[in-house]
Amino acid sequence: MHSGFPALLRGSGAEVSSGPRCCLIGWQHPSGRASGARRRGVQRREERSSGGTRFVESDMACGFRRSIASQLSRVLDLPPENLIKSISAVPISRKEEVADFQLSVDSLLENNNDHSRPDIQIQAMRLAEKLKCDTVVSEISTGQGTVNFKINRELLTKTVLQQVIEDGSKYGLKSELFSGLPQKRIVVEFSSPNVAKKFHVGHLRSTIIGNFIANLKEALGHQVTRINYLGDWGMQFGLLGTGFQLFGYEEKLQSSPLQHLFEVYVQVNKEAADDKNVAKSAHEFFQRLELGDMQALALWQKFRDLSIDEYMRIYQRLGVHFDEYSGESFYREKSQEVLKLLDSKGLLQKTLKGTAVVDLSGNGDPSSVCTVMRSDGTSLYATRDLAAAIDRMEKYNFDKMIYVTDKGQKKHFQQVFQMLQIMGYDWAERCQHVPFGVVQGMKTRRGDVTFLEDVLNEIRLRMLQNMASIKTTKELENPEETAEQVGLAALIIQDFRGFLLSDYQFSWDRVFQSRGDTGVFLQYTHARLHSLEETFGCGYLNDFNTACLQEPQSVSILQHLLRFDEVLYRSSQDLQPRHIVSYLLTLSHLAAVAHRTLHVRNSPPEVAGARLHLFRAVRSVLANGMKLLGITPLHLTSRRQLMSQQSPIDTSECFSPKGKCLNSLKLFQNILLKEN
């Protein structure tokens, strides 16, 4: 139990009301000093004026947490810093207005055993009784084991909107949740396609997940190095080299390089399965590569150069960049040094088949044996990964290195990290594998592949066809680029909505789904909000009256904006983008509802300006989140470009009999057809 909290257990035992404790905004102590003044280093300050003491915004909208923590620290005798992460913004509710922040009393009793823990509800009520409303907190109430805090509405409005605009792309990242976060050197290895194979949709996951992680780490102020570790070495090149000698045509290689290499690879795999001589030739070709045979290396280099040229085009379309392109081939010589080091430490064991292994169990457990050298002395994937990790530590002196690959490589990385440890590299604990589920039905050797470029082209084509069905397409300067960005958003959101570890079957229907919570919805919302700013100009945005934004729709948006830093914090902890995706979709739904009722056109200037500030803040945070996910927010002059994905509908189709919104994209589109 935390120090200081036992005082609450020594209450009089009198019945305590669980209802809200309301007080006037601007409540003060009899002494004239505002409750919750600066205590224990809480980062807020006061100003004296004829009207008494008033709250002055701190460096972050969530200075509200610090103000609440100040009161709690006085009652619980704990430093505010120890309480801040226990104070969370309350998720919005469709059914009723909720408080803005809550403290879970259970978190203060986390060290108690369940059988001896005091009644949480009683403790919540006793704690609430000891707290007071002030110029920041206008109401204190209790929930199920929580103490809830409602913020002065005008102060909430002014502080949040000003902070969103002032912080810009840094909104949420300056939060006290990230205070004391040291800047680190982080290496992220992702994408890593196999050279001489077309970029299939399965590669998309590693690429967009790794890009998201790198974006998030950079946004948090870390020094990030993005590495594309190409699969440009190994037995597959023995197969490909032999296959090209048997089935390859130079003219086809020049006209359609990777398509031809893909066809050759599929064919030689079938032949090798039936003909041992083909398999033997492939093995010999790779051995020649390892020994530095000039003719074999020249063919390998040609395949590699052609592959990288194509990958660069794909990455440009995806909006992904790398700081370093390396590959397994870079470490074919250093992998021999790794083998010598393992041998010198007595870790290398020879098998009856002539291969070299490392027994990670120490007792001969077959499941813990890692093969690091073939019988002919050539290196393996694990050996080259060991060499790459050692080289990167020497080059970057990283604090963290993250590998983004499918979950099928989980055991591989466990063994690599364990071997680094027993080799004496304590920094192995800084290495992390972020696994993800596979896109099923795309195994190259069967030829059952959906190539990513084909998917991107098909998405762009279908989006263009939808846009061409209406007359406003000509308003766009680059309709193909617009169609591609909408398509990419659809791909990324459908991939990021669930747990990264989840497998899924690739489906064209899923990719082109434009109804409900989709990337199309996010792009449309951003474009429409940007259009509002362009339509009404920036003259309205100089100042605003907070009293004009007290409608429930406005308050819900402000409450949701308060939660952005918590969402970023959660994603930074588990590296899951789904938290941000869910947040942005909810924000877009709130914007849709607000736009239906909070009209800008024909409203008094003061009201119009305040609402523009609100919508501008929504668009800014929406853009920030989309960019972290790897989506380029669209700025369109024509709202109908994205509405063309569906036909306008009546709002009755958007709601169930109980009034629950079933398809907010439909609703949003229908509203906008009638607005402005």
Side-chain angles (χ1 to χ4, degrees):
M1 184 181 296
H2 287 289
S3 170
F5 197 73
L8 293 174
L9 307 182
R10 298 193 292 270
S12 63
E15 183 176 343
V16 182
S17 170
S18 62
R21 300 182 61 232
C22 301
C23 60
L24 295 175
I25 294 173
W27 178 93
Q28 295 183 351
H29 283 297
S31 64
R33 179 175 58 84
S35 172
R38 184 179 180 91
R39 295 172 57 86
R40 300 180 186 272
V42 175
Q43 297 180 31
R44 56 188 294 260
R45 64 187 187 273
E46 298 171 349
E47 285 184 356
R48 296 284 180 179
S49 67
S50 58
T53 305
R54 66 182 180 85
F55 176 81
V56 179
E57 297 89 307
S58 61
D59 63 344
M60 173 65 199
C62 288
F64 296 133
R65 278 198 199 89
R66 289 193 285 270
S67 181
I68 295 170
S70 174
Q71 274 214 65
L72 289 168
S73 70
R74 182 172 63 253
V75 174
L76 300 175
D77 193 27
L78 288 171
E81 298 77 26
N82 293 9
L83 296 165
I84 282 175
K85 290 185 180 179
S86 296
I87 302 168
S88 59
V90 180
I92 60 168
S93 170
R94 292 177 183 269
K95 298 179 181 179
E96 59 185 358
E97 183 180 353
V98 297
D100 302 307
F101 291 95
Q102 65 182 16
L103 170 76
S104 172
V105 175
D106 192 56
S107 68
L108 301 177
L109 298 166
E110 60 187 1
N111 294 327
N112 253 11
N113 295 324
D114 288 340
H115 67 273
S116 63
R117 180 176 296 175
D119 184 272
I120 299 299
Q121 191 62 34
I122 292 176
Q123 301 313 312
M125 290 187 286
R126 286 179 177 168
L127 177 56
E129 282 294 309
K130 293 178 179 291
L131 301 171
K132 298 181 182 296
C133 297
D134 56 20
T135 54
V136 178
V137 177
S138 62
E139 183 179 296
I140 299 172
S141 61
T142 59
Q144 293 297 318
T146 63
V147 179
N148 305 323
F149 303 88
K150 182 178 179 180
I151 303 299
N152 174 328
R153 284 291 170 254
E154 292 194 15
L155 183 62
L156 173 74
T157 304
K158 182 178 181 181
T159 306
V160 172
L161 295 188
Q162 283 188 348
Q163 214 64 54
V164 170
I165 302 306
E166 289 174 8
D167 288 352
S169 63
K170 295 297 183 181
Y171 179 73
L173 298 168
K174 295 182 178 182
S175 168
E176 58 272 86
L177 296 180
F178 299 108
S179 64
L181 183 71
Q183 291 191 357
K184 296 182 178 180
R185 293 178 295 274
I186 298 176
V187 172
V188 184
E189 179 199 297
F190 64 104
S191 192
S192 306
N194 292 318
V195 164
K197 296 181 183 178
K198 292 191 74 172
F199 207 135
H200 67 76
V201 175
H203 290 127
L204 177 69
R205 296 212 79 185
S206 176
T207 305
I208 62 176
I209 293 169
N211 188 51
F212 160 72
I213 292 173
N215 288 344
L216 182 59
K217 295 295 185 182
E218 283 183 345
L220 291 171
H222 301 299
Q223 180 182 331
V224 178
T225 301
R226 303 163 183 249
I227 295 181
N228 195 342
Y229 185 63
L230 300 170
D232 63 354
W233 205 250
M235 266 305 297
Q236 72 267 26
F237 284 95
L239 282 166
L240 194 60
T242 297
F244 191 76
Q245 291 173 341
L246 293 173
F247 313 114
Y249 295 93
E250 187 64 32
E251 55 272 23
K252 288 187 177 180
L253 183 66
Q254 296 301 322
S255 61
S256 184
L258 290 198
Q259 180 62 37
H260 183 50
L261 290 176
F262 167 70
E263 294 166 352
V264 166
Y265 188 73
V266 171
Q267 189 171 357
V268 74
N269 265 284
K270 292 178 181 178
E271 294 293 329
D274 300 328
D275 189 341
K276 291 184 178 180
N277 289 328
V278 174
K280 182 181 178 182
S281 295
H283 188 84
E284 291 172 349
F285 189 93
F286 179 59
Q287 196 169 18
R288 287 167 55 199
L289 280 175
E290 287 261 298
L291 294 173
D293 179 83
M294 296 301 293
Q295 187 176 1
L297 283 173
L299 188 59
W300 166 83
Q301 188 68 51
K302 180 186 291 186
F303 294 162
R304 188 180 192 276
D305 292 344
L306 289 169
S307 300
I308 291 177
D309 286 344
E310 172 150 324
Y311 297 152
M312 293 288 284
R313 289 192 299 104
I314 297 295
Y315 291 132
Q316 186 173 10
R317 292 182 69 173
L318 293 174
V320 174
H321 72 277
F322 295 92
D323 301 301
E324 176 184 310
Y325 282 85
S326 67
E328 294 181 64
S329 62
F330 284 52
Y331 301 104
R332 62 181 187 270
E333 293 180 3
K334 290 187 177 183
S335 63
Q336 297 302 315
E337 297 175 13
V338 168
L339 292 172
K340 291 177 183 177
L341 182 58
L342 287 168
D343 193 30
S344 68
K345 291 180 176 290
L347 299 172
L348 208 60
Q349 301 176 15
K350 287 292 184 69
T351 67
L352 294 176
K353 294 181 179 180
T355 60
V357 301
V358 175
D359 179 10
L360 296 171
S361 68
N363 57 20
D365 180 1
S367 65
S368 298
V369 171
C370 181
T371 303
V372 293
M373 186 183 74
R374 293 189 179 88
S375 57
D376 60 3
T378 56
S379 62
L380 288 166
Y381 184 43
T383 328
R384 296 188 287 273
D385 263 349
L386 289 170
I390 295 168
D391 179 64
R392 290 170 188 172
M393 174 50 74
E394 293 175 353
K395 185 175 182 179
Y396 297 110
N397 189 28
F398 57 78
D399 298 299
K400 191 75 163 181
M401 179 157 65
I402 300 171
Y403 297 84
V404 184
T405 73
D406 70 76
K407 61 185 178 183
Q409 297 192 49
K410 180 179 179 180
K411 182 178 180 180
H412 164 77
F413 283 107
Q414 287 176 340
Q415 292 183 332
V416 168
F417 300 160
Q418 193 173 347
M419 279 191 285
L420 287 169
Q421 285 276 14
I422 64 177
M423 290 169 71
Y425 297 112
D426 293 337
W427 49 261
E429 64 185 16
R430 306 180 198 174
C431 299
Q432 178 184 1
H433 177 220
V434 176
F436 56 84
V438 297
V439 184
Q440 297 170 334
M442 297 181 182
K443 292 188 178 178
T444 306
R445 295 187 182 188
R446 291 208 313 265
D448 183 18
V449 176
T450 303
F451 295 121
L452 180 59
E453 188 165 32
D454 295 334
V455 173
L456 296 180
N457 291 340
E458 183 70 14
I459 287 177
R460 182 173 61 189
L461 177 62
R462 293 200 191 186
M463 293 292 178
L464 281 171
Q465 289 173 343
N466 289 339
M467 291 160 57
S469 65
I470 52 176
K471 298 178 180 180
T472 53
T473 304
K474 63 184 180 181
E475 295 179 25
L476 293 176
E477 294 181 2
N478 193 338
E480 288 197 359
E481 177 66 19
T482 298
E484 179 130 301
Q485 292 304 325
V486 175
L488 283 175
L491 275 176
I492 291 172
I493 294 302
Q494 63 95 14
D495 195 289
F496 282 179
R497 285 193 64 191
F499 287 93
L500 294 183
L501 272 174
S502 301
D503 297 338
Y504 71 87
Q505 186 77 30
F506 178 79
S507 166
W508 284 106
D509 290 338
R510 184 175 180 181
V511 169
F512 291 117
Q513 180 183 356
S514 61
R515 302 175 62 172
D517 290 345
T518 65
V520 176
F521 181 31
L522 292 187
Q523 287 284 31
Y524 177 76
T525 303
H526 183 272
R528 186 63 189 94
L529 294 176
H530 184 266
S531 178
L532 270 180
E533 292 177 37
E534 286 192 333
T535 300
F536 295 99
C538 296
Y540 282 110
L541 298 176
N542 295 327
D543 196 8
F544 65 97
N545 185 347
T546 57
C548 297
L549 291 176
Q550 301 308 308
E551 305 90 349
Q553 299 88 342
S554 299
V555 173
S556 291
I557 287 177
L558 294 165
Q559 289 178 312
H560 196 58
L561 293 176
L562 273 180
R563 297 185 61 239
F564 191 50
D565 63 340
E566 293 181 9
V567 172
L568 295 178
Y569 182 77
R570 188 178 303 174
S571 283
S572 73
Q573 295 300 296
D574 64 11
L575 302 182
Q576 295 280 334
R578 64 189 179 89
H579 308 303
I580 297 176
V581 170
S582 177
Y583 176 90
L584 296 181
L585 289 169
T586 299
L587 183 61
S588 296
H589 287 309
L590 293 173
V593 174
H595 192 277
R596 179 179 59 179
T597 54
L598 306 180
H599 303 164
V600 175
R601 186 182 297 276
N602 299 326
S603 294
E606 191 175 46
V607 174
R611 290 173 178 175
L612 276 177
H613 263 89
L614 182 69
F615 289 126
R616 181 188 184 190
V618 171
R619 184 191 63 77
S620 177
V621 174
L622 183 60
N624 293 348
M626 291 170 71
K627 290 174 184 177
L628 287 176
L629 297 175
I631 298 171
T632 301
L634 285 176
H635 304 104
L636 300 183
T637 57
S638 172
R639 65 173 181 254
R640 294 183 177 85
Q641 293 304 318
L642 291 177
M643 289 194 299
S644 66
Q645 303 308 311
Q646 298 177 354
S647 299
I649 56 135
D650 186 81
T651 57
S652 61
E653 296 183 36
C654 305
F655 293 91
S656 68
K658 295 183 179 180
K660 182 178 180 181
C661 186
L662 299 177
N663 192 322
S664 291
L665 178 55
K666 283 187 175 183
L667 176 59
F668 197 35
Q669 292 174 346
N670 191 52
I671 291 167
L672 291 175
L673 284 171
K674 299 177 181 178
E675 288 281 355
N676 298 322

